[in-house]
Amino acid sequence: AQSVTQLGSHVSVSEGALVLLRCNYSSSVPPYLFWYVQYPNQGLQLLLKYTTGATLVKGINGFEAEFKKSETSFHLTKPSAHMSDAAEYFCAVSYNDMRFGAGTRLTVKP
Amino acid sequence: KAGVTQTPRYLIKTRGQQVTLSCSPISGHRSVSWYQQTPGQGLQFLFEYFSETQRNKGNFPGRFSGRQFSNSRSEMNVSTLELGDSALYLCASSFSQGASEQYFGPGTRLTVT
């Protein structure tokens, strides 16, 4: 069975600072991994995905994530935070069905 | 291409009533999944339909049911509503079942009083 753990339910950064949202997964088979973002009162929007191939994945809005099999991690990063990045972020792992982490709320301070 | 649409967007029901929510997937997508999102439990998988058949089911009571039509549109039904059913219900569509990336609708906010 697969599962996802997101470390830190709340992360606060200053505008222009590095964003790092942590995700560790558990899967008995090679996983498909995803990051989604949710803005208030909206559904989830796909940021990026890893299926196979290159382990560094680039997504929308300047985000990227690196799949590290040895660490069972898929952390999300962005070099410079923008106010508009404030939202909730979900990591997900998929094999037969999609399993989501508990989410990390990102706050960006001016 | 139009995105996933869900109707209604907001709904208020009384405990004991039943409710039906609707989801229209992206054109060409044949898989529809439903999720319940609450502050306490987060995102929980309800079920997935593909080609009118339920392919996967989460750990929810039988009061939660769904179906998918030949045009891939899906409905979910909750009978005998409880206060704890108050949540944002999200529908997601994907081209194929299982591991495919999913595209989410805006959700239906259900409040049970």
Side-chain angles (χ1 to χ4, degrees):
Chain A
Q2 66 264 24
S3 65
V4 172
T5 301
Q6 289 185 241
L7 300 174
S9 58
H10 290 90
V11 170
S12 182
V13 301
S14 298
E15 192 172 21
L18 170 72
V19 175
L20 170 61
L21 304 182
R22 300 176 186 275
C23 171
N24 287 88
Y25 70 91
S26 169
S27 177
S28 56
V29 296
Y32 289 1
L33 293 160
F34 306 85
W35 274 100
Y36 285 86
V37 61
Q38 185 178 32
Y39 299 100
N41 298 315
Q42 294 186 28
L44 278 67
Q45 180 184 5
L46 180 66
L47 274 177
L48 50 79
K49 64 177 180 180
Y50 168 79
T51 53
T52 59
T55 56
L56 182 62
V57 180
K58 294 187 185 299
I60 62 172
N61 302 339
F63 284 94
E64 61 182 38
E66 187 171 10
F67 170 62
K68 291 187 176 180
K69 185 177 178 182
S70 61
E71 298 177 8
T72 61
S73 68
F74 190 58
H75 302 331
L76 182 71
T77 60
K78 182 174 180 178
S80 176
H82 191 271
M83 296 296 290
S84 61
D85 294 327
E88 186 138 22
Y89 292 79
F90 293 90
C91 182
V93 61
S94 179
Y95 180 58
N96 285 321
D97 57 39
M98 188 85 76
R99 300 292 174 97
F100 288 86
T104 297
R105 184 168 300 279
L106 175 66
T107 303
V108 182
K109 298 175 291 186
Chain B
K1 223 181 224 185
V4 178
T5 58
Q6 291 186 246
T7 56
R9 290 293 314 275
Y10 302 91
L11 205 50
I12 300 176
K13 288 286 188 178
T14 303
R15 192 171 48 182
Q17 288 185 315
Q18 68 109 25
V19 66
T20 299
L21 311 182
S22 181
C23 171
S24 293
I26 292 172
S27 178
H29 284 192
R30 295 169 63 193
S31 173
V32 173
S33 296
W34 288 90
Y35 296 86
Q36 182 195 65
Q37 186 178 28
T38 59
Q41 299 297 319
L43 268 164
Q44 293 187 283
F45 171 73
L46 279 155
F47 27 65
E48 178 188 12
Y49 286 87
F50 181 81
S51 294
E52 302 179 64
T53 301
Q54 188 180 93
R55 300 290 179 167
N56 226 331
K57 190 177 190 306
N59 189 25
F60 276 83
R63 300 185 297 108
F64 292 81
S65 63
R67 59 177 176 169
Q68 187 180 34
F69 302 95
S70 58
N71 62 358
S72 294
R73 191 178 69 86
S74 177
E75 290 180 346
M76 69 162 280
N77 185 277
V78 188
S79 62
T80 320
L81 284 166
E82 300 176 359
L83 296 179
D85 297 333
S86 294
L88 181 67
Y89 289 88
L90 292 164
C91 164
S93 78
S94 58
F95 182 73
S96 58
Q97 63 177 330
S100 297
E101 62 199 67
Q102 297 182 349
Y103 296 85
F104 284 78
T108 294
R109 172 76 62 187
L110 172 64
T111 302
V112 182
T113 61

